[in-house]
Amino acid sequence: MTDIGIVGAGAGAAAATFVVDEAAPDADVTVLEKSGGICGRAATRRHDDLTYDYGANYLKSDDERVVELMTERLDDEGLVDITEPVYTFDADGEVSPGRDADDHKWSYRRGLTQIAKRLFGRTDATVHRRTRVETVRRADDRWEVDDADGETWGPFDVLLLNPPAPQTAELLRDAEWESPVREALVDAVGDVAYRSVWSAVLHYPFAIDVPYYGLVNTDKEHPVGWISREECKAGHVPDGETLLVVQAGPEWSAERYDDDPAANVADLAEHAASVVGDERLADPAWTDHQGWRYALPEAGVDRGPIDSARREDLFLLGDWVAGEGRIHAALANGLDTGERVVYGL
């Protein structure tokens, strides 16, 4: 039996686990996730009758393998498609019809977290939540990891690292691993820059009459980068109500990341009211918020050191490895990584 350890339970890790379990059912897979949830920034919360995706907004049908995974290999019950278009707005808050592609914009009635839940649920993998890995160690050609509580996991024949690049770089920088690959790998992963995103969730007991699902700021000059309507996702918001997800732009998010959340929410509600053109939106009935320090990779990573690390049974995966901060990119990279792991067993 091959023992496989995975740090992080994001979409990429879930896809890789799914592939490994299908192709190598004798492998024993252990997943260690620092938070209480899974699927990374494809995150879902519930409040009373509301369901909302407060990180990533939807899954694009931009990769044939991912489309096949979502519609054929996995159960598609509860899969919902957002039909309303995405419009644009500029630095002055002027809204214009966008060039909305024909791609699907998918979520689930129970939210985007269902992606990882369904992938892991089809496997025999064991997922341990609230388990923060702090040390990675190479010992006798196998891998071990220590968590924040001092427990050692492993040894593993293969280790996969799925955290965002800055957190992966930190693990590798402090790893107990002597290898000619390590320095170049740490440098490559550490060079991946990220944008922070601070998000407000705003609920109103009334519907708004607009023709779009989302608004995206195309010139990057507005304090807000994105506004979307969760009521466009079937099953998320009761009829006659509005739930906005407002994501601040990178500059605003960086400057205000650690500021008072109530003040941040109030400011983003004012901006949303101005852009949408409805002053009522400045006064939400209920709110939520979330800061994503490592939200979106600015670019990809030098793949040379990543490929070299595979020779020592170390695999790095995620949207930052794919070079695109999208769920479909993370899933596609996870499928690729799972296949590489299987071929190496």
Side-chain angles (χ1 to χ4, degrees):
M1 177 182 293
T2 300
D3 291 310
I4 299 173
I6 303 180
V7 179
T17 302
F18 179 78
V19 170
V20 169
D21 189 85
E22 270 197 337
D26 291 337
D28 185 31
V29 180
T30 300
V31 183
L32 307 174
E33 166 58 43
K34 70 173 184 176
S35 72
I38 58 175
C39 216
R41 210 171 62 86
T44 306
R45 286 178 183 158
R46 293 176 182 83
H47 175 79
D48 294 336
D49 294 333
L50 304 172
T51 297
Y52 52 99
D53 299 315
Y54 62 98
N57 306 111
Y58 57 85
L59 170 64
K60 290 179 64 176
S61 57
D62 219 25
D63 185 288
E64 291 182 3
R65 295 166 301 168
V66 173
V67 172
E68 180 189 18
L69 178 70
M70 298 294 295
T71 61
E72 299 179 25
R73 299 173 71 183
L74 289 179
D75 175 15
D76 64 357
E77 181 180 358
L79 186 68
V80 298
D81 197 1
I82 304 162
T83 57
E84 291 86 351
V86 173
Y87 280 18
T88 65
F89 66 99
D90 60 20
D92 297 324
E94 186 70 28
V95 173
S96 304
R99 295 180 299 174
D100 202 46
D102 293 330
D103 296 336
H104 295 284
K105 300 187 290 289
W106 281 322
S107 183
Y108 288 92
R109 294 184 71 90
R110 295 183 60 80
L112 282 171
T113 308
Q114 285 290 306
I115 296 171
K117 288 181 176 179
R118 295 185 186 205
L119 287 167
F120 283 128
R122 290 277 300 273
T123 75
D124 292 325
T126 304
V127 180
H128 298 272
R129 307 186 195 204
R130 304 194 186 284
T131 305
R132 179 186 291 271
V133 170
E134 291 193 337
T135 303
V136 172
R137 180 169 49 255
R138 183 73 161 162
D140 298 326
D141 294 329
R142 302 183 81 190
W143 293 96
E144 295 177 344
V145 300
D146 298 336
D147 67 23
D149 294 325
E151 183 172 353
T152 296
W153 300 82
F156 302 115
D157 301 293
V158 179
L159 183 65
L160 282 66
L161 300 181
N162 187 217
Q167 294 168 330
T168 295
E170 184 177 358
L171 284 174
L172 293 171
R173 193 174 293 116
D174 298 334
E176 299 174 16
W177 173 38
E178 298 299 329
S179 170
V181 173
R182 177 177 159 180
E183 184 176 351
L185 185 62
V186 169
D187 288 345
V189 178
D191 283 344
V192 178
Y194 266 73
R195 279 181 281 164
S196 296
V197 172
W198 208 96
S199 298
V201 180
L202 314 174
H203 174 246
Y204 309 87
F206 54 82
I208 59 174
D209 184 18
V210 294
Y212 47 78
Y213 154 65
L215 296 170
V216 61
N217 176 225
T218 50
D219 58 19
K220 311 299 183 186
E221 296 293 334
H222 196 280
V224 170
W226 170 266
I227 302 171
S228 59
R229 303 166 54 219
E230 285 293 299
E231 62 268 25
C232 296
K233 301 174 183 176
H236 280 222
V237 181
D239 291 343
E241 300 180 19
T242 297
L243 187 66
L244 300 183
V245 176
V246 183
Q247 297 181 343
E251 184 175 337
W252 190 101
S253 295
E255 291 177 354
R256 302 278 296 268
Y257 194 89
D258 294 316
D259 286 3
D260 175 51
N264 282 351
V265 167
D267 190 38
L268 292 178
E270 290 278 359
H271 284 303
S274 176
V275 173
V276 176
D278 189 332
E279 62 183 17
R280 297 176 299 170
L281 300 181
D283 186 24
W286 173 86
T287 70
D288 194 5
H289 64 272
Q290 179 68 44
W292 302 94
R293 192 171 296 279
Y294 303 123
L296 297 169
E298 295 280 14
V301 64
D302 180 358
R303 294 295 295 268
I306 297 232
D307 294 341
S308 296
R310 297 204 304 263
R311 293 196 288 269
E312 297 192 43
D313 299 314
L314 178 66
F315 294 78
L316 278 56
L317 70 161
D319 57 1
W320 60 274
V321 179
E324 183 180 6
R326 293 280 191 167
I327 311 173
H328 71 269
L331 287 170
N333 181 253
L335 296 175
D336 287 343
T337 302
E339 291 172 355
R340 292 190 178 105
V341 170
V342 169
Y343 293 151
L345 294 182

